[in-house]
Amino acid sequence: MASSAETPRARLLGAKLRHARVARNLTTRQLGDLLGKDSSYVSRRETGKIVATETEVATILGALGVIGDERERLLELARAARDPNWLAPGVGKQLAVLMEYERTADAVTNVQPSLVPGPLQTPDYARSLMISGGATEDSADSAEARRSGRRDVLNRVKYFAIMGEQAVRYPACPPEVAKRQLRQLLEYAEADNITIQVVRQTIGYSHLAEGAFVLIESSTARPVVHLERYRSSTMLTDSRDVRDYQTAAATLRRDAMSPDSTTRLIAKIADEMERKQ
């Protein structure tokens, strides 16, 4: 029986099914006709609001002509789709589902202790971080191209960026890249839907010390938390886990510098960098 869990794997599974349908130039109604169902049957499973059973996924894939390794990967995803949390090796594996959640979000809170949050990163800044982390020039370019779609979220949602002071005072990139990144932050801060705040190093303990996270909230879906680590990432939808991060985000917004004070600090640091050149 189908479930209404709306889990991270369910969202990814739905996105994969939608991609397979679109690749075959079928509407949800046309696919529904092939299945003997209505269009809402298809759309609810593509959005992840309904978690399709393995049997349902097999039937949909059969109607779409999906075979071989791709079919087996999607069936495996369907078997684990009801788990509310998801730990996966390799950050890239969850990028698609993260973007799927952000696509339907109303508000995103991105907390980063020592880096500029992903959607606010300039291409040069993002590439610099990846190359410093061991990526080749070509792989960094490819990864940046894949990640660039996340910047679209800045045009659609209330976006809250909370950074540690280290992220702006000691940027993890060359000075020329850092200056452009700081100036870009100042431009973003002028947008009505974007709020940028810095947590001072002198504050002592704060939830920032516990690491980076992204809290994604929507009026039409349950909230989700994304945790990104060195070589793995985790998606959380369990209500008790998510509630803790909602509390942490609210506390950080309260303890951080005000948005106006933050922009003044960023502008001051950028000016200091330019005077040193």
Side-chain angles (χ1 to χ4, degrees):
M1 176 176 183
S3 164
S4 58
E6 199 176 0
T7 66
R9 286 185 182 88
R11 292 295 290 266
L12 180 58
L13 176 61
K16 295 283 189 181
L17 293 175
R18 183 175 67 249
H19 182 269
R21 172 181 59 78
V22 171
R24 285 153 182 80
N25 295 314
L26 294 175
T27 65
T28 55
R29 175 174 292 183
Q30 289 170 330
L31 177 55
D33 289 342
L34 291 176
L35 299 170
K37 305 287 186 179
D38 59 24
S39 62
S40 64
Y41 174 92
V42 176
S43 62
R44 286 197 298 268
R45 284 153 182 80
E46 288 186 353
T47 59
K49 292 186 180 300
I50 295 294
V51 184
T53 65
E54 184 180 354
T55 299
E56 288 175 328
V57 171
T59 301
I60 293 170
L61 296 178
L64 293 172
V66 177
I67 60 175
D69 291 344
E70 180 65 8
R71 179 180 185 277
E72 293 307 312
R73 281 193 292 268
L74 293 181
L75 289 177
E76 181 180 355
L77 193 58
R79 285 190 284 272
R82 286 167 180 75
D83 191 336
N85 297 333
W86 180 18
L87 170 65
V91 173
K93 289 187 176 181
Q94 290 193 355
L95 181 60
V97 71
L98 174 61
M99 292 174 64
E100 181 68 16
Y101 273 109
E102 289 179 336
R103 185 179 66 84
T104 57
D106 295 320
V108 173
T109 302
N110 202 325
V111 174
Q112 277 284 356
S114 58
L115 300 173
V116 172
L120 300 180
Q121 292 176 4
T122 64
D124 284 349
Y125 180 94
R127 288 181 70 262
S128 175
L129 295 183
M130 286 184 275
I131 291 171
S132 295
T136 65
E137 293 275 354
D138 288 344
S139 63
D141 287 342
S142 298
E144 161 54 23
R146 290 194 301 273
R147 287 170 176 262
S148 63
R150 287 193 64 201
R151 296 191 186 99
D152 179 60
V153 73
L154 301 175
N155 300 320
R156 298 181 290 97
V157 305
K158 291 186 180 300
Y159 185 85
F160 300 91
I162 303 174
M163 295 174 280
E165 187 175 355
Q166 178 180 344
V168 295
R169 190 172 290 283
Y170 306 109
C173 61
E176 284 299 322
V177 175
K179 286 188 297 183
R180 290 193 293 270
Q181 176 64 79
L182 293 179
R183 293 301 181 191
Q184 181 64 69
L185 286 177
L186 293 174
E187 290 186 22
Y188 280 135
E190 294 178 359
D192 292 338
N193 65 309
I194 298 176
T195 300
I196 300 176
Q197 292 179 267
V198 162
V199 177
R200 284 284 200 183
Q201 291 175 321
T202 54
I203 195 174
Y205 173 82
S206 75
H207 289 295
L208 200 67
E210 303 297 336
F213 66 90
V214 182
L215 170 65
I216 304 168
E217 298 173 290
S218 170
S219 59
T220 60
R222 59 196 298 181
V224 62
V225 171
H226 179 254
L227 307 175
E228 187 172 312
R229 297 296 181 260
Y230 176 54
R231 293 298 185 198
S232 65
S233 56
T234 304
M235 301 292 288
L236 306 175
T237 59
D238 180 84
S239 59
R240 290 170 297 182
D241 293 332
V242 172
R243 194 177 303 119
D244 288 341
Y245 283 94
Q246 288 175 313
T247 299
T251 302
L252 283 167
R253 284 196 289 266
R254 182 196 67 204
D255 293 343
M257 300 171 65
S258 70
D260 286 344
S261 296
T262 293
T263 55
R264 286 195 293 271
L265 174 65
I266 293 173
K268 178 182 177 183
I269 293 172
D271 289 344
E272 290 172 350
M273 285 184 176
E274 290 176 352
R275 285 197 293 270
K276 290 179 181 178
Q277 295 301 307

